[in-house]
Amino acid sequence: QVHLVESGGGSVQTGGSLRLSCVIFGSTYSTDYMGWFRQAPGKEREGVAVIDRHGATTYADSVKGRFTISQDNAENTLYLQMNSLKPEDTAMYYCAASRLVLTVSTILSPVYFGIWGQGTQVTVSS
């Protein structure tokens, strides 16, 4: 059983930075993909960044060049470094894990991730 706990959210001004953390409790044997997703009020949950067990990363176009996903296997922790934050990045951010085989067309879809953390709020003011 895998349990995810996020932290690191907060309020920043436009252009600021935050680093989100997600501690992974339990066995990571079957978590082939780890990802960050976000959901703004009134909007659907969307994929932000995903990393596979080999370290390959995928990013949503809206965050490319600004966000970096990484994983510290020794610490069982997933990170999301967010730079040059914009008001449109304001959302609840969730860490998630998938045990499925994902493709380019599905890797950022929250539908294929079955294990979720409780979320951490990020607010960017202009």
Side-chain angles (χ1 to χ4, degrees), residues 32-37 45 49-51 95-100 102 106-116:
D32 290 325
Y33 298 87
M34 296 294 303
W36 288 97
F37 296 79
R45 191 169 298 189
V50 172
I51 187 168
C95 169
S98 177
R99 298 168 171 163
L100 303 176
L102 302 179
T106 62
I107 196 167
L108 286 174
S109 174
V111 171
Y112 300 99
F113 285 74
I115 303 169
W116 293 85

Side-chain angles (χ1 to χ4, degrees), residues 62-123:
S62 59
V63 306
K64 280 181 182 176
R66 300 188 298 122
F67 291 11
T68 302
I69 188 172
S70 62
Q71 187 166 0
D72 185 333
N73 292 322
E75 297 293 329
N76 268 8
T77 303
L78 181 74
Y79 298 102
L80 184 69
Q81 177 66 44
M82 305 186 294
N83 298 327
S84 302
L85 282 162
K86 306 174 181 179
E88 51 263 44
D89 294 319
T90 295
M92 184 72 78
Y93 282 71
Y94 298 91
C95 169
S98 177
R99 298 168 171 163
L100 303 176
V101 176
L102 302 179
T103 66
V104 171
S105 62
T106 62
I107 196 167
L108 286 174
S109 174
V111 171
Y112 300 99
F113 285 74
I115 303 169
W116 293 85
Q118 83 289 349
T120 185
Q121 178 67 38
V122 171
T123 303

Side-chain angles (χ1 to χ4, degrees), residues 43-54:
K43 294 187 176 182
E44 292 186 355
R45 191 169 298 189
E46 63 176 1
V48 174
V50 172
I51 187 168
D52 71 15
R53 62 169 53 248
H54 303 294

Side-chain angles (χ1 to χ4, degrees), residues 24-41:
I24 306 161
F25 295 95
S27 173
T28 60
Y29 176 75
S30 58
T31 53
D32 290 325
Y33 298 87
M34 296 294 303
W36 288 97
F37 296 79
R38 65 187 181 188
Q39 187 167 19

